[in-house]
Amino acid sequence: MTDQVLIFDTTLRDGEQSPGATMTHAEKLEIAELLDEMGVDIIEAGFPIASEGDFKAVSEISARAKDATICGLARANYKDIDRCWDAVKQAKSPRIHTFIGTSELHRAIPNLTMDEMAERIHDTVTHARNLCDNVQWSPMDATRTEWDYLCRVVEIAIKAGATTINIPDTVGYTAPVESADLIRRLINTVPGADAIIFATHCHNDLGMATANSLAAVAGGARQIECTINGLGERAGNTALEEVVMALKVRNDIMPFTTRIDTTKIMNISRRVAAVSGFAVQFNKAIVGKNAFAHESGIHQDGMLKNKETFEIMRPSDVGLAGTSLPLGKHSGRAALRAKLSELGFDMADNQLKDVFVRFKELADRKKEVYDDDLIALVYQNSGDEDHVRLKSLRVVCGTEGPQTADLTLEVDGAEVTTSATGDGPVDAAFNAVKALVSHEARLQLYQVSAVTEGTDAQATVSVRMEEDGRIATGQSADTDTVVASVKAYINALNRLIVRRAQNTVGYDTKGVSYKDV
Ligand code: KIV
Ligand code: ZN
């Protein structure tokens, strides 16, 4: 058995499925390109039947992919599979991934008997294989499926031509010993199992997704399904960065390799956090802000003497630049270019020009511009295609009330101004936006965090809003928290306007459900 573990990334499908994580078309293309560049073997780019948008994204990612196999998801029916094939067929290496829920609870949804479902699996996998040489089949909720039935349907799928069998722990229920055992027993029991690849797909409801995925590899799985930052429904999926770094750092006891260039991890993690609106928790393994921070005196002392005292991997292994001197208002374009390149951003001249203008503005307000400030700056939306833009904001707040916001926006090219009051400066400013840009969206989340230390630090604000089932997230950073809040709110609003025009809603209500097999 080979020691290479294939990395199957489903950030753009299972990850994007988390309520609120919906990405724009351009963002999906960008993330797919970064995944391809970092050496992901298979990119699950979306669920083509779910919407025109998903279909378009999977097709375009397929056409652009350089190395990665591009995969689309399809339920167990011919219409889904045909649509999926239409989207992935232009890829150099296409894959159809078809699935059906096989546990008793899941069988009840389409109301199929065991025999009827077995026949459905045979027919749909055969159909997919007639279209594409590379077919993945998943028995959804495999870890809660009766053992005999699981063996039976896996054998049917292999005989019908599936080249990869994925064993999902859909509800994050399994534990590491079971995860290893299940794969091992399937390989030893099911006829034909030695000729195909087994994959593991774990959800993190009990916080065991990474451990379960690694255990499955020990049991014989050679494909791990995962997402960047562990993005995904409920508690998320297995985090790519965790399994890849665990296999690298503990290669002594897990002698497996992946093709991932780990130095690209931080960059893609930041990007996925920014476009999904799901910030990474500070103490998240590998990519959290504190993952390589050593605060306590005893730790710092140890680190100064020998880094290995408290570090099992180097920050540079995951693409974190070593701490270097901050830039300031006298730093020139060349210094900025050098620093950005150190942080992994190689910019074209026109992009640099734009970032330089914003850097100077920030340096005027903030004495020292740190790496994290620059990253926030680079990811700041240029606003060129926005319907709504912030022109000016003046807020009166403090103990004397009323809290008032005077706001001027540019809405589709025309300047509009208003004043509004509210419970605090942010509420007043948001009320002013609402008065100028009419909408029924409900604010679901409002989150502020400091990019760096100090009272002049930039605040990063994330907002999530929902209107008629459409969810949009927005982010922004500024040294003024209220300005950052309004920019983030406007960012989300602009996305909502695009979504209204496309008439696309979130995944859950896109008009498909797992029921329509
Ligand atoms: O969690 C799951 O079961 C899935 C399947 C569609 C593979 O995401
Ligand atoms: Zn899943």
Side-chain angles (χ1 to χ4, degrees):
M1 201 181 268
T2 163
D3 68 356
Q4 200 199 332
V5 173
L6 300 173
I7 297 297
F8 176 110
D9 183 277
T10 183
T11 306
L12 297 173
R13 199 277 298 168
D14 221 344
E16 214 240 355
Q17 212 165 302
S18 0
T22 315
M23 299 172 199
T24 65
H25 183 71
E27 287 163 353
K28 288 182 188 173
L29 298 187
E30 184 196 343
I31 298 297
E33 195 176 327
L34 293 174
L35 291 168
D36 200 0
E37 277 171 7
M38 85 185 294
V40 162
D41 298 285
I42 305 112
I43 299 173
E44 187 163 50
F47 190 3
I49 196 96
S51 69
E52 275 305 317
D54 259 44
F55 180 83
K56 214 173 128 221
V58 179
S59 311
E60 217 167 312
I61 290 169
S62 298
R64 289 168 173 229
K66 295 200 173 80
D67 285 327
T69 294
I70 304 301
C71 172
L73 185 69
R75 290 163 302 180
N77 67 62
Y78 293 172
K79 210 168 147 210
D80 270 42
I81 293 170
D82 291 345
R83 188 78 174 145
C84 178
W85 175 239
D86 277 344
V88 296
K89 67 184 177 199
Q90 51 269 43
K92 282 193 206 124
S93 168
R95 173 180 294 191
I96 296 173
H97 176 193
T98 178
F99 75 99
I100 194 163
T102 51
S103 64
E104 194 180 355
L105 284 165
H106 280 260
R107 288 197 304 270
I109 301 175
N111 203 13
L112 294 177
T113 64
M114 280 182 164
D115 286 345
E116 284 166 347
M117 184 170 282
E119 195 182 329
R120 172 73 67 101
I121 293 164
H122 171 267
D123 293 351
T124 48
V125 175
T126 305
H127 183 69
R129 187 56 206 265
N130 284 337
L131 297 170
C132 181
D133 286 343
N134 190 337
V135 173
Q136 170 165 327
W137 180 73
S138 298
M140 187 163 72
D141 206 15
T143 53
R144 293 192 303 168
T145 299
E146 301 91 318
W147 166 249
D148 288 345
Y149 191 58
L150 184 62
C151 288
R152 177 178 166 196
V153 289
V154 167
E155 184 178 346
I156 289 173
I158 294 174
K159 286 213 174 104
T163 42
T164 299
I165 299 288
N166 174 38
I167 301 298
D169 181 30
T170 306
V171 290
Y173 176 72
T174 207
V177 277
E178 293 172 327
S179 181
D181 196 47
L182 184 58
I183 301 282
R184 194 175 294 120
R185 282 167 67 210
L186 283 168
I187 294 176
N188 291 336
T189 312
V190 178
D194 52 346
I196 54 103
I197 288 186
F198 273 87
T200 177
H201 176 112
C202 300
H203 282 264
N204 203 27
D205 299 65
L206 290 173
M208 294 194 282
T210 296
N212 286 335
S213 302
L214 295 171
V217 170
R222 288 296 176 268
Q223 176 177 301
I224 297 180
E225 307 210 352
C226 45
T227 58
I228 301 293
N229 299 341
L231 193 67
E233 270 193 287
R234 307 186 310 277
N237 290 61
T238 302
L240 179 147
E241 62 279 6
E242 293 179 15
V243 282
V244 167
M245 289 312 290
L247 290 176
K248 187 176 165 118
V249 174
R250 295 312 312 275
N251 203 253
D252 53 334
I253 55 159
M254 294 184 282
F256 305 101
T257 54
T258 72
R259 281 199 323 117
I260 300 297
D261 175 353
T262 63
T263 64
K264 299 204 184 297
I265 285 178
M266 270 323 292
N267 186 32
I268 190 161
S269 162
R270 288 184 189 120
R271 207 53 204 128
V272 167
V275 302
S276 67
F278 279 59
V280 175
Q281 79 196 50
F282 278 21
N283 58 340
K284 163 86 180 61
I286 318 292
V287 291
K289 208 174 159 68
N290 288 355
F292 292 91
H294 301 273
E295 279 281 352
S296 77
I298 188 165
H299 281 212
Q300 285 180 350
D301 187 46
M303 285 292 291
L304 288 175
K305 291 190 177 113
N306 180 356
K307 285 200 162 72
E308 284 180 21
T309 327
F310 286 106
E311 238 169 46
I312 56 166
M313 51 198 156
R314 282 168 307 192
S316 56
D317 292 342
V318 298
L320 262 180
T323 42
S324 51
L325 293 176
L327 299 183
K329 68 173 178 188
H330 299 298
S331 308
R333 203 177 291 235
L336 179 67
R337 186 192 282 280
K339 173 66 83 165
L340 289 172
S341 148
E342 206 181 285
L343 293 171
F345 302 104
D346 288 315
M347 308 217 134
D349 285 349
N350 58 338
Q351 285 173 308
L352 184 73
K353 204 167 137 201
D354 176 49
V355 174
F356 188 65
V357 172
R358 287 187 276 139
F359 159 71
K360 281 288 179 188
E361 277 166 17
L362 180 63
D364 270 341
R365 283 180 283 144
K366 196 173 182 298
K367 219 167 73 206
E368 295 181 314
V369 179
Y370 295 97
D371 293 357
D372 286 340
D373 288 319
L374 285 177
I375 292 163
L377 205 75
V378 170
Y379 288 148
Q380 200 89 177
N381 172 10
S382 70
D384 292 351
E385 291 167 14
D386 287 349
H387 291 268
V388 184
R389 294 190 213 182
L390 174 65
K391 295 303 279 184
S392 70
L393 172 68
R394 199 167 156 275
V395 176
V396 178
C397 64
T399 53
E400 303 309 309
Q403 331 284 344
T404 315
D406 299 329
L407 179 73
T408 302
L409 298 179
E410 190 183 297
V411 182
D412 290 326
E415 272 194 23
V416 281
T417 300
T418 196
S419 285
T421 54
D423 286 337
V426 174
D427 192 46
F430 284 10
N431 287 342
V433 176
K434 198 162 179 191
L436 294 177
V437 186
S438 164
H439 64 85
E440 292 305 318
R442 209 171 51 83
L443 191 64
Q444 286 189 327
L445 171 116
Y446 169 71
Q447 196 171 289
V448 184
S449 58
V451 175
T452 53
E453 285 86 43
T455 48
D456 69 345
Q458 290 196 90
T460 298
V461 178
S462 305
V463 304
R464 182 163 75 225
M465 45 217 276
E466 187 266 341
E467 187 191 69
D468 293 337
R470 296 182 186 94
I471 295 175
T473 54
Q475 271 201 340
S476 193
D478 199 279
T479 48
D480 183 320
T481 309
V482 186
V483 172
S485 303
V486 170
K487 283 186 186 164
Y489 192 80
I490 290 175
N491 186 212
L493 211 49
N494 277 312
R495 286 165 176 241
L496 209 55
I497 292 169
V498 171
R499 222 149 277 161
R500 269 189 210 152
Q502 291 171 337
N503 201 18
T504 51
V505 291
Y507 183 91
D508 309 352
T509 43
K510 269 174 186 164
V512 294
S513 86
Y514 285 154
K515 211 167 151 188
D516 308 326
V517 285

